[in-house]
Amino acid sequence: GAGTIPDCAEVGLGGTYTSYPYISGTYHNSGNGALYFYSYTPNSTMIRFQGLDLTENDDPLVMSFYEYKTSAGYGYIQAGYMTDASDFSTFVALKTVYPSDIPTATWTEVRFAVPASVNGQVIYPTLYCPFAPGSSSNYLYIDDVTIEVGQNSCMAPHNLQFSNVSGSSALATWTPDETASGTETYHIE
């Protein structure tokens, strides 16, 4: 690897590998390295970051990271939090990224709102890399993990398309977020 995990994070909880993820210089979105996750039967991979004290927080939270995979069948990861730093069974997945959700060999931003129900407690942001669906292994790279406090939790529209464009109006159609079903349609003048 290109570096070691900082003291503010821990790997190897709940029967996961103790040597993964590590900081690899092979692929990175920014800086000199990214977290390299590798899961192979019987062990998966996870990293738990230091606690985030939300006991007096009322602001919205948004978590984001960039993901990279080198093979179409890999890239499966769950992002969320633990409520007990030493007990992996307290992990709550907030966002699951499936291999079909991101392109191969392209850094892709994954961004999602953290529910207000986490306010009033201490949480430990966690990334969990189980085996890819239908496979005994999974690997991927994660970079630029952030948690924004007090940011607008509205997610950017997906699959934004314009039609019936004229000199003074257009029809805009989009999916509100990547997990929603159905679309929103607005006539813009």
Side-chain angles (χ1 to χ4, degrees):
T4 57
I5 299 295
D7 291 338
C8 64
E10 185 175 355
V11 301
L13 294 171
T16 63
Y17 279 125
T18 58
S19 55
Y20 292 97
Y22 64 81
I23 299 174
S24 170
T26 306
Y27 301 101
H28 46 86
N29 187 55
S30 66
N32 297 324
L35 291 168
Y36 174 60
F37 287 79
Y38 175 76
S39 297
Y40 188 80
T41 303
N43 292 321
S44 52
T45 309
M46 63 79 61
I47 186 168
R48 183 214 17 96
F49 297 97
Q50 71 185 28
L52 186 58
D53 187 349
L54 302 174
T55 54
E56 297 184 24
N57 182 60
D58 291 324
D59 294 323
L61 301 170
V62 173
M63 186 173 180
S64 65
F65 56 87
Y66 283 82
E67 182 176 347
Y68 185 92
K69 64 179 185 174
T70 59
S71 176
Y74 295 137
Y76 181 56
I77 193 161
Q78 294 177 333
Y81 64 93
M82 293 169 51
T83 56
D84 181 334
S86 61
D87 185 357
F88 184 69
S89 71
T90 67
F91 175 68
V92 176
L94 297 175
K95 176 70 177 172
T96 300
V97 179
Y98 294 94
S100 61
D101 293 341
I102 64 168
T104 301
T106 301
W107 281 102
T108 304
E109 183 180 29
V110 176
R111 184 176 174 85
F112 58 94
V114 178
S117 61
V118 302
N119 288 332
Q121 61 186 321
V122 176
I123 65 167
Y124 301 86
T126 304
L127 297 171
Y128 174 57
C129 177
F131 316 122
S135 176
S136 62
S137 62
N138 184 26
Y139 61 90
L140 55 102
Y141 297 84
I142 298 290
D143 205 358
D144 303 324
V145 178
T146 61
I147 295 181
E148 303 168 44
V149 178
Q151 297 296 313
N152 183 345
S153 61
C154 294
M155 297 291 101
H158 292 269
N159 304 317
L160 178 62
Q161 298 178 5
F162 291 95
S163 60
N164 300 332
V165 178
S166 70
S168 62
S169 69
L171 185 64
T173 305
W174 67 88
T175 305
D177 67 46
E178 64 272 10
T179 61
S181 59
T183 59
E184 300 282 334
T185 303
Y186 289 89
H187 186 83
I188 304 167
E189 289 193 58

